[in-house]
Amino acid sequence: MKFMNIFLVVIVSGVMSACTTPQEKAYESQTAVNEERLELIEQYKTCAEKAEKNKTDGTECEKYLKATDALK
């Protein structure tokens, strides 16, 4: 009987630790959005630098800024 109780405690604790809370899911989601925004900002900076070197107006780079704004 003791073995069964220990086994049940291990199973229940394993199941409870495997479940994520909605707060944890929201945190992970927000982290992913922030990382995506940072990546888009880096792409914009790279594009703007290329446009400056090539003496162009850089309007093609605006898509990165618009995508960044959409992720707010």
Side-chain angles (χ1 to χ4, degrees):
M1 193 63 164
K2 261 189 170 181
F3 177 72
M4 184 62 118
N5 287 341
I6 293 172
F7 181 72
L8 286 174
V9 168
V10 169
I11 294 296
V12 169
S13 65
V15 169
M16 290 180 68
S17 67
C19 297
T20 58
T21 65
Q23 294 163 338
E24 290 171 340
K25 289 180 183 178
Y27 175 76
E28 290 171 3
S29 176
Q30 189 61 42
T31 301
V33 168
N34 289 341
E35 288 173 357
E36 182 68 23
R37 286 186 72 218
L38 289 174
E39 184 177 322
L40 287 169
I41 291 169
E42 287 299 320
Q43 289 175 353
Y44 173 76
K45 286 180 182 178
T46 302
C47 183
E49 288 172 359
K50 285 181 183 178
E52 189 176 317
K53 286 180 184 177
N54 296 335
K55 305 284 188 211
T56 59
D57 61 354
T59 55
E60 68 274 359
C61 302
E62 295 299 316
K63 63 184 175 186
Y64 298 116
L65 284 180
K66 289 179 182 178
T68 302
D69 288 338
L71 291 176
K72 284 186 178 179

